[in-house]
PDB file of all heavy atoms in Angstrom:
ATOM      1  N   ILE A  97       0.859  -1.193   0.000  1.00  0.00           N
ATOM      2  CA  ILE A  97       0.000   0.000   0.000  1.00  0.00           C
ATOM      3  C   ILE A  97       0.895   1.244   0.000  1.00  0.00           C
ATOM      4  O   ILE A  97       1.613   1.513   0.982  1.00  0.00           O
ATOM      5  CB  ILE A  97      -0.910   0.014   1.244  1.00  0.00           C
ATOM      6  CG1 ILE A  97      -1.692  -1.292   1.360  1.00  0.00           C
ATOM      7  CG2 ILE A  97      -1.837   1.219   1.199  1.00  0.00           C
ATOM      8  CD1 ILE A  97      -2.593  -1.609   0.185  1.00  0.00           C
ATOM      9  N   PRO A  98       0.903   2.022  -1.078  1.00  0.00           N
ATOM     10  CA  PRO A  98       1.795   3.186  -1.150  1.00  0.00           C
ATOM     11  C   PRO A  98       1.596   4.156   0.015  1.00  0.00           C
ATOM     12  O   PRO A  98       2.571   4.680   0.574  1.00  0.00           O
ATOM     13  CB  PRO A  98       1.421   3.831  -2.489  1.00  0.00           C
ATOM     14  CG  PRO A  98       0.856   2.708  -3.310  1.00  0.00           C
ATOM     15  CD  PRO A  98       0.149   1.827  -2.342  1.00  0.00           C
ATOM     16  N   GLU A  99       0.345   4.415   0.393  1.00  0.00           N
ATOM     17  CA  GLU A  99       0.076   5.369   1.474  1.00  0.00           C
ATOM     18  C   GLU A  99       0.578   4.863   2.825  1.00  0.00           C
ATOM     19  O   GLU A  99       0.698   5.631   3.772  1.00  0.00           O
ATOM     20  CB  GLU A  99      -1.435   5.645   1.565  1.00  0.00           C
ATOM     21  CG  GLU A  99      -2.031   6.346   0.352  1.00  0.00           C
ATOM     22  CD  GLU A  99      -2.513   5.359  -0.708  1.00  0.00           C
ATOM     23  OE1 GLU A  99      -2.094   4.156  -0.676  1.00  0.00           O
ATOM     24  OE2 GLU A  99      -3.302   5.775  -1.570  1.00  0.00           O
ATOM     25  N   TRP A 100       0.834   3.585   2.902  1.00  0.00           N
ATOM     26  CA  TRP A 100       1.361   2.984   4.119  1.00  0.00           C
ATOM     27  C   TRP A 100       2.846   2.663   3.976  1.00  0.00           C
ATOM     28  O   TRP A 100       3.367   1.743   4.589  1.00  0.00           O
ATOM     29  CB  TRP A 100       0.582   1.716   4.472  1.00  0.00           C
ATOM     30  CG  TRP A 100      -0.827   1.948   4.957  1.00  0.00           C
ATOM     31  CD1 TRP A 100      -1.543   3.113   4.875  1.00  0.00           C
ATOM     32  CD2 TRP A 100      -1.669   0.985   5.605  1.00  0.00           C
ATOM     33  NE1 TRP A 100      -2.794   2.936   5.425  1.00  0.00           N
ATOM     34  CE2 TRP A 100      -2.907   1.636   5.885  1.00  0.00           C
ATOM     35  CE3 TRP A 100      -1.518  -0.348   5.970  1.00  0.00           C
ATOM     36  CZ2 TRP A 100      -3.978   0.996   6.507  1.00  0.00           C
ATOM     37  CZ3 TRP A 100      -2.588  -0.992   6.589  1.00  0.00           C
ATOM     38  CH2 TRP A 100      -3.798  -0.327   6.864  1.00  0.00           C
ATOM     39  N   GLY A 101       3.533   3.427   3.134  1.00  0.00           N
ATOM     40  CA  GLY A 101       4.975   3.273   2.975  1.00  0.00           C
ATOM     41  C   GLY A 101       5.376   1.956   2.341  1.00  0.00           C
ATOM     42  O   GLY A 101       6.486   1.462   2.564  1.00  0.00           O
ATOM     43  N   GLY A 102       4.498   1.383   1.530  1.00  0.00           N
ATOM     44  CA  GLY A 102       4.798   0.099   0.893  1.00  0.00           C
ATOM     45  C   GLY A 102       4.495  -1.102   1.775  1.00  0.00           C
ATOM     46  O   GLY A 102       4.743  -2.244   1.371  1.00  0.00           O
ATOM     47  N   GLN A 103       3.971  -0.860   2.968  1.00  0.00           N
ATOM     48  CA  GLN A 103       3.596  -1.972   3.846  1.00  0.00           C
ATOM     49  C   GLN A 103       2.566  -2.851   3.133  1.00  0.00           C
ATOM     50  O   GLN A 103       1.624  -2.356   2.522  1.00  0.00           O
ATOM     51  CB  GLN A 103       3.003  -1.412   5.138  1.00  0.00           C
ATOM     52  CG  GLN A 103       2.466  -2.453   6.102  1.00  0.00           C
ATOM     53  CD  GLN A 103       1.772  -1.804   7.287  1.00  0.00           C
ATOM     54  OE1 GLN A 103       2.114  -0.668   7.674  1.00  0.00           O
ATOM     55  NE2 GLN A 103       0.810  -2.490   7.871  1.00  0.00           N
ATOM     56  N   LYS A 104       2.763  -4.156   3.217  1.00  0.00           N
ATOM     57  CA  LYS A 104       1.839  -5.075   2.552  1.00  0.00           C
ATOM     58  C   LYS A 104       0.633  -5.383   3.440  1.00  0.00           C
ATOM     59  O   LYS A 104       0.770  -5.511   4.661  1.00  0.00           O
ATOM     60  CB  LYS A 104       2.547  -6.382   2.188  1.00  0.00           C
ATOM     61  CG  LYS A 104       3.533  -6.250   1.033  1.00  0.00           C
ATOM     62  CD  LYS A 104       4.104  -7.617   0.655  1.00  0.00           C
ATOM     63  CE  LYS A 104       5.036  -7.496  -0.553  1.00  0.00           C
ATOM     64  NZ  LYS A 104       5.577  -8.819  -0.947  1.00  0.00           N
ATOM     65  N   VAL A 105      -0.518  -5.503   2.790  1.00  0.00           N
ATOM     66  CA  VAL A 105      -1.700  -6.014   3.469  1.00  0.00           C
ATOM     67  C   VAL A 105      -2.136  -7.291   2.752  1.00  0.00           C
ATOM     68  O   VAL A 105      -1.847  -7.490   1.565  1.00  0.00           O
ATOM     69  CB  VAL A 105      -2.855  -4.996   3.496  1.00  0.00           C
ATOM     70  CG1 VAL A 105      -2.442  -3.723   4.187  1.00  0.00           C
ATOM     71  CG2 VAL A 105      -3.381  -4.707   2.099  1.00  0.00           C
ATOM     72  N   ARG A 106      -2.805  -8.148   3.486  1.00  0.00           N
ATOM     73  CA  ARG A 106      -3.342  -9.371   2.889  1.00  0.00           C
ATOM     74  C   ARG A 106      -4.833  -9.159   2.630  1.00  0.00           C
ATOM     75  O   ARG A 106      -5.609  -8.984   3.565  1.00  0.00           O
ATOM     76  CB  ARG A 106      -3.127 -10.560   3.818  1.00  0.00           C
ATOM     77  CG  ARG A 106      -3.561 -11.901   3.190  1.00  0.00           C
ATOM     78  CD  ARG A 106      -3.342 -13.067   4.143  1.00  0.00           C
ATOM     79  NE  ARG A 106      -1.950 -13.252   4.448  1.00  0.00           N
ATOM     80  CZ  ARG A 106      -1.076 -13.911   3.700  1.00  0.00           C
ATOM     81  NH1 ARG A 106      -1.490 -14.427   2.545  1.00  0.00           N
ATOM     82  NH2 ARG A 106       0.171 -14.050   4.071  1.00  0.00           N
ATOM     83  N   ILE A 107      -5.199  -9.162   1.351  1.00  0.00           N
ATOM     84  CA  ILE A 107      -6.599  -9.060   0.966  1.00  0.00           C
ATOM     85  C   ILE A 107      -7.161 -10.479   0.937  1.00  0.00           C
ATOM     86  O   ILE A 107      -6.819 -11.287   0.071  1.00  0.00           O
ATOM     87  CB  ILE A 107      -6.759  -8.374  -0.398  1.00  0.00           C
ATOM     88  CG1 ILE A 107      -6.233  -6.935  -0.336  1.00  0.00           C
ATOM     89  CG2 ILE A 107      -8.217  -8.404  -0.847  1.00  0.00           C
ATOM     90  CD1 ILE A 107      -6.986  -6.034   0.613  1.00  0.00           C
ATOM     91  N   MET A 108      -8.005 -10.779   1.918  1.00  0.00           N
ATOM     92  CA  MET A 108      -8.561 -12.130   2.077  1.00  0.00           C
ATOM     93  C   MET A 108     -10.028 -12.100   1.692  1.00  0.00           C
ATOM     94  O   MET A 108     -10.843 -11.456   2.363  1.00  0.00           O
ATOM     95  CB  MET A 108      -8.396 -12.585   3.528  1.00  0.00           C
ATOM     96  CG  MET A 108      -6.945 -12.702   3.966  1.00  0.00           C
ATOM     97  SD  MET A 108      -6.756 -12.880   5.767  1.00  0.00           S
ATOM     98  CE  MET A 108      -6.924 -11.161   6.280  1.00  0.00           C
ATOM     99  N   LEU A 109     -10.361 -12.776   0.614  1.00  0.00           N
ATOM    100  CA  LEU A 109     -11.719 -12.756   0.084  1.00  0.00           C
ATOM    101  C   LEU A 109     -12.295 -14.164   0.025  1.00  0.00           C
ATOM    102  O   LEU A 109     -11.573 -15.134  -0.215  1.00  0.00           O
ATOM    103  CB  LEU A 109     -11.733 -12.144  -1.322  1.00  0.00           C
ATOM    104  CG  LEU A 109     -11.271 -10.696  -1.436  1.00  0.00           C
ATOM    105  CD1 LEU A 109     -11.248 -10.266  -2.899  1.00  0.00           C
ATOM    106  CD2 LEU A 109     -12.159  -9.762  -0.622  1.00  0.00           C
ATOM    107  N   GLU A 110     -13.593 -14.241   0.225  1.00  0.00           N
ATOM    108  CA  GLU A 110     -14.295 -15.515   0.078  1.00  0.00           C
ATOM    109  C   GLU A 110     -15.738 -15.224  -0.292  1.00  0.00           C
ATOM    110  O   GLU A 110     -16.422 -14.462   0.392  1.00  0.00           O
ATOM    111  CB  GLU A 110     -14.221 -16.326   1.373  1.00  0.00           C
ATOM    112  CG  GLU A 110     -14.769 -17.725   1.248  1.00  0.00           C
ATOM    113  CD  GLU A 110     -14.459 -18.588   2.455  1.00  0.00           C
ATOM    114  OE1 GLU A 110     -14.098 -18.035   3.515  1.00  0.00           O
ATOM    115  OE2 GLU A 110     -14.594 -19.817   2.343  1.00  0.00           O
ATOM    116  N   GLU A 111     -16.171 -15.828  -1.396  1.00  0.00           N
ATOM    117  CA  GLU A 111     -17.553 -15.658  -1.849  1.00  0.00           C
ATOM    118  C   GLU A 111     -18.072 -16.990  -2.380  1.00  0.00           C
ATOM    119  O   GLU A 111     -17.327 -17.769  -2.977  1.00  0.00           O
ATOM    120  CB  GLU A 111     -17.644 -14.616  -2.978  1.00  0.00           C
ATOM    121  CG  GLU A 111     -17.288 -13.203  -2.575  1.00  0.00           C
ATOM    122  CD  GLU A 111     -18.338 -12.502  -1.720  1.00  0.00           C
ATOM    123  OE1 GLU A 111     -19.344 -13.142  -1.348  1.00  0.00           O
ATOM    124  OE2 GLU A 111     -18.149 -11.304  -1.427  1.00  0.00           O
ATOM    125  N   ASP A 112     -19.355 -17.231  -2.187  1.00  0.00           N
ATOM    126  CA  ASP A 112     -19.969 -18.478  -2.621  1.00  0.00           C
ATOM    127  C   ASP A 112     -20.407 -18.366  -4.077  1.00  0.00           C
ATOM    128  O   ASP A 112     -20.937 -17.332  -4.505  1.00  0.00           O
ATOM    129  CB  ASP A 112     -21.153 -18.820  -1.720  1.00  0.00           C
ATOM    130  CG  ASP A 112     -20.716 -19.005  -0.271  1.00  0.00           C
ATOM    131  OD1 ASP A 112     -19.626 -19.579  -0.059  1.00  0.00           O
ATOM    132  OD2 ASP A 112     -21.435 -18.557   0.639  1.00  0.00           O
ATOM    133  N   ALA A 113     -20.174 -19.451  -4.823  1.00  0.00           N
ATOM    134  CA  ALA A 113     -20.398 -19.430  -6.263  1.00  0.00           C
ATOM    135  C   ALA A 113     -20.914 -20.789  -6.738  1.00  0.00           C
ATOM    136  O   ALA A 113     -20.894 -21.776  -5.995  1.00  0.00           O
ATOM    137  CB  ALA A 113     -19.095 -19.072  -6.985  1.00  0.00           C
ATOM    138  N   PHE A 114     -21.351 -20.824  -7.990  1.00  0.00           N
ATOM    139  CA  PHE A 114     -21.894 -22.047  -8.592  1.00  0.00           C
ATOM    140  C   PHE A 114     -21.184 -22.318  -9.906  1.00  0.00           C
ATOM    141  O   PHE A 114     -20.999 -21.416 -10.731  1.00  0.00           O
ATOM    142  CB  PHE A 114     -23.402 -21.889  -8.821  1.00  0.00           C
ATOM    143  CG  PHE A 114     -24.032 -23.070  -9.506  1.00  0.00           C
ATOM    144  CD1 PHE A 114     -24.263 -24.244  -8.802  1.00  0.00           C
ATOM    145  CD2 PHE A 114     -24.386 -23.013 -10.847  1.00  0.00           C
ATOM    146  CE1 PHE A 114     -24.836 -25.340  -9.439  1.00  0.00           C
ATOM    147  CE2 PHE A 114     -24.958 -24.099 -11.483  1.00  0.00           C
ATOM    148  CZ  PHE A 114     -25.186 -25.267 -10.769  1.00  0.00           C
ATOM    149  N   PHE A 115     -20.787 -23.590 -10.112  1.00  0.00           N
ATOM    150  CA  PHE A 115     -20.138 -24.005 -11.356  1.00  0.00           C
ATOM    151  C   PHE A 115     -21.109 -24.888 -12.128  1.00  0.00           C
ATOM    152  O   PHE A 115     -21.533 -25.938 -11.638  1.00  0.00           O
ATOM    153  CB  PHE A 115     -18.848 -24.767 -11.052  1.00  0.00           C
ATOM    154  CG  PHE A 115     -18.134 -25.290 -12.274  1.00  0.00           C
ATOM    155  CD1 PHE A 115     -17.708 -24.420 -13.268  1.00  0.00           C
ATOM    156  CD2 PHE A 115     -17.892 -26.656 -12.425  1.00  0.00           C
ATOM    157  CE1 PHE A 115     -17.053 -24.900 -14.401  1.00  0.00           C
ATOM    158  CE2 PHE A 115     -17.226 -27.138 -13.533  1.00  0.00           C
ATOM    159  CZ  PHE A 115     -16.803 -26.265 -14.537  1.00  0.00           C
ATOM    160  N   ASP A 116     -21.473 -24.473 -13.337  1.00  0.00           N
ATOM    161  CA  ASP A 116     -22.462 -25.208 -14.130  1.00  0.00           C
ATOM    162  C   ASP A 116     -21.828 -26.178 -15.112  1.00  0.00           C
ATOM    163  O   ASP A 116     -22.538 -26.845 -15.877  1.00  0.00           O
ATOM    164  CB  ASP A 116     -23.384 -24.244 -14.876  1.00  0.00           C
ATOM    165  CG  ASP A 116     -22.670 -23.474 -15.986  1.00  0.00           C
ATOM    166  OD1 ASP A 116     -21.431 -23.568 -16.092  1.00  0.00           O
ATOM    167  OD2 ASP A 116     -23.370 -22.774 -16.748  1.00  0.00           O
ATOM    168  N   GLY A 117     -20.515 -26.283 -15.088  1.00  0.00           N
ATOM    169  CA  GLY A 117     -19.791 -27.122 -16.042  1.00  0.00           C
ATOM    170  C   GLY A 117     -19.084 -26.310 -17.095  1.00  0.00           C
ATOM    171  O   GLY A 117     -18.160 -26.802 -17.763  1.00  0.00           O
ATOM    172  N   SER A 118     -19.518 -25.068 -17.260  1.00  0.00           N
ATOM    173  CA  SER A 118     -18.888 -24.172 -18.237  1.00  0.00           C
ATOM    174  C   SER A 118     -18.286 -22.935 -17.591  1.00  0.00           C
ATOM    175  O   SER A 118     -17.205 -22.486 -17.979  1.00  0.00           O
ATOM    176  CB  SER A 118     -19.916 -23.730 -19.297  1.00  0.00           C
ATOM    177  OG  SER A 118     -20.442 -24.841 -19.981  1.00  0.00           O
ATOM    178  N   SER A 119     -18.985 -22.379 -16.615  1.00  0.00           N
ATOM    179  CA  SER A 119     -18.512 -21.143 -16.010  1.00  0.00           C
ATOM    180  C   SER A 119     -18.930 -21.082 -14.548  1.00  0.00           C
ATOM    181  O   SER A 119     -19.818 -21.814 -14.098  1.00  0.00           O
ATOM    182  CB  SER A 119     -19.054 -19.924 -16.764  1.00  0.00           C
ATOM    183  OG  SER A 119     -20.473 -19.925 -16.728  1.00  0.00           O
ATOM    184  N   VAL A 120     -18.291 -20.166 -13.836  1.00  0.00           N
ATOM    185  CA  VAL A 120     -18.566 -19.950 -12.417  1.00  0.00           C
ATOM    186  C   VAL A 120     -19.341 -18.646 -12.276  1.00  0.00           C
ATOM    187  O   VAL A 120     -18.943 -17.617 -12.840  1.00  0.00           O
ATOM    188  CB  VAL A 120     -17.261 -19.887 -11.600  1.00  0.00           C
ATOM    189  CG1 VAL A 120     -17.547 -19.569 -10.137  1.00  0.00           C
ATOM    190  CG2 VAL A 120     -16.489 -21.202 -11.715  1.00  0.00           C
TER     191      VAL A 120
END
């Protein structure tokens, strides 16, 4: 993060999804 002097943050994401055989 530039505003934090280059300090790294961990962006942790999780979302529920459905796979139909072709796409999510």
Side-chain angles (χ1 to χ4, degrees):
I97 307 300
E99 295 90 342
W100 289 13
Q103 175 186 332
K104 288 185 177 181
V105 301
R106 185 180 296 277
I107 297 297
M108 297 167 280
L109 298 176
E110 187 170 17
E111 294 287 5
D112 299 322
F114 177 75
F115 178 59
D116 69 352
S118 300
S119 60
V120 176

